Amino acid sequence: MATKEKVLVYGAGGVQGGAVARKLLEEGYTVHTVVRSSDKAAQLQEQGITAFVGDLTDASDLMSAHEGVSKVFLLLPVDYDPERNRQFIRNTVDAAKYANVKLLVFNTSGFVPDDVTGVNAFDIKSELVAYVKQSGIPSIILQPIFYMENFLIPGVVDDQMLAYPVPADRAIAWISMEDAAAYGVYALSHPELAGQTLPIVGPEALTGNQLAEQFSAALNREIHFYSLPTEVFQEALTPVLGKAASRPGRLVQMGWIKYEFTAQARPSHRRVRSAIPGTPLIEWVKQAVQHGLFSPVAGENKNS
């Protein structure tokens, strides 16, 4: 297979960015990335990724990674400090602009509203998107809704219950991170989509009760849906995210109160959706069972 262009993939050492990097390598692209440790860089080098050691807070660290790069996939690390987020986006976008990249694909890692909400976790994303658009670099914005991998948060799915802070009657088009990565690779391969914002959504919009039905069928036991109070969800996240836990909890609450998350894409996005049909939830759960993340035997889930 002939080598295609060089693509800089931020976050290639993680789950989301790693899936994008892997798919690009499979399609013959050369992949660069930036990581914070030499040990991580060595691991990625073994996978065929050219890894540069650097820090997103230091603009000079990013220059070498852009050498010969024509496209950038931007995925920022999880960080709830607004000023650090501003610094991340300034440094990464400015480095791409200096390198004269032909296309920048930005995965926002969540929904970005059009209006100011008063919630920092939302409003900083709007600010970051605006900076990308104002840079002058041809860009595609990808907005995922809810990832299926959220079901792996400890306590979300147990022996008989699926508990999540959304209303039971709200249909949401959950998507797997693998399918979201396919959106990223598609966007990188279609520069004619520059200037568009593409919603990353799954193939089916499911209510809470329908989620429970799908899990019941996949796990061979009866699962019921419970609309979890936001404050309880925040409490459950505290061991993982510390004091920042209130922010993703509030983010979820704002999302289901103000915005409809469905599988319906705009007509201009139908071509993308047809190219990426997506994984139905029941198939994703079955795959998770095969990887030992869920068990069809009550009391044995690794995520409980």
Side-chain angles (χ1 to χ4, degrees):
M1 181 184 297
T3 300
K4 296 183 180 180
E5 301 165 289
K6 288 184 181 179
V7 181
L8 172 59
V9 178
Y10 285 96
V15 177
Q16 293 190 65
V20 173
R22 184 174 62 255
K23 290 178 184 296
L24 287 171
L25 288 173
E26 291 171 354
E27 294 195 12
Y29 288 90
T30 297
V31 177
H32 286 195
T33 194
V34 179
V35 293
R36 297 190 64 176
S37 74
S38 55
D39 288 345
K40 190 65 176 181
Q43 293 174 15
L44 294 176
Q45 295 279 9
E46 292 178 357
Q47 298 173 28
I49 298 170
T50 303
F52 297 81
V53 178
D55 193 313
L56 299 190
T57 62
D58 188 340
S60 62
D61 283 357
L62 307 181
M63 297 305 175
S64 297
H66 282 80
E67 186 174 346
V69 165
S70 59
K71 297 176 182 178
V72 171
F73 179 82
L74 180 56
L75 181 72
L76 296 180
V78 176
D79 193 302
Y80 296 103
D81 181 88
E83 189 47 48
R84 273 199 300 272
N85 272 278
R86 292 186 184 99
Q87 193 172 24
F88 291 160
I89 202 74
R90 284 196 300 265
N91 290 346
T92 54
V93 173
D94 290 353
K97 187 172 183 178
Y98 182 82
N100 293 314
V101 301
K102 296 188 294 186
L103 180 66
L104 188 151
V105 175
F106 178 31
N107 183 326
T108 62
S109 296
F111 186 75
V112 181
D114 296 326
D115 304 317
V116 174
T117 65
V119 179
N120 282 341
F122 269 144
D123 295 341
I124 190 62
K125 287 185 181 291
S126 297
E127 189 176 324
L128 303 184
V129 167
Y131 194 86
V132 170
K133 291 180 177 180
Q134 292 167 10
S135 70
I137 304 172
S139 60
I140 301 170
I141 309 298
L142 301 180
Q143 287 189 24
I145 305 303
F146 284 135
Y147 288 121
M148 293 178 184
E149 282 71 14
N150 288 359
F151 296 124
L152 299 176
I153 295 172
V156 169
V157 179
D158 63 18
D159 291 350
Q160 297 179 318
M161 191 74 67
L162 190 166
Y164 205 80
V166 293
D169 60 352
R170 180 62 52 88
I172 296 173
W174 301 78
I175 188 167
S176 72
M177 287 188 180
E178 281 291 322
D179 290 341
Y183 269 88
V185 173
Y186 186 93
L188 288 164
S189 305
H190 291 79
E192 71 275 10
L193 295 174
Q196 293 198 43
T197 297
L198 303 178
I200 300 180
V201 292
E204 51 192 357
L206 301 173
T207 65
N209 291 332
Q210 289 171 330
L211 287 175
E213 290 172 2
Q214 298 286 320
F215 268 87
S216 297
L219 299 179
N220 296 314
R221 64 176 184 269
E222 191 170 2
I223 301 290
H224 300 278
F225 180 78
Y226 173 60
S227 183
L228 191 69
T230 304
E231 59 271 17
V232 177
F233 183 64
Q234 292 169 185
E235 215 173 285
L237 288 179
T238 299
V240 180
L241 300 177
K243 293 181 180 179
S246 63
R247 288 169 182 174
R250 180 64 171 154
L251 188 78
V252 170
Q253 185 184 47
M254 289 293 294
W256 64 252
I257 288 176
K258 290 196 171 187
Y259 305 98
E260 291 287 346
F261 293 154
T262 73
Q264 300 304 314
R266 299 172 188 171
S268 60
H269 304 152
R270 287 176 183 164
R271 179 162 60 96
V272 184
R273 290 295 309 283
S274 63
I276 308 167
T279 305
L281 177 71
I282 192 169
E283 295 303 321
W284 179 86
V285 178
K286 289 178 179 178
Q287 291 170 17
V289 169
Q290 292 174 357
H291 288 91
L293 299 175
F294 293 115
S295 172
V297 178
E300 295 186 5
N301 287 350
K302 288 190 176 181
N303 61 313
S304 295

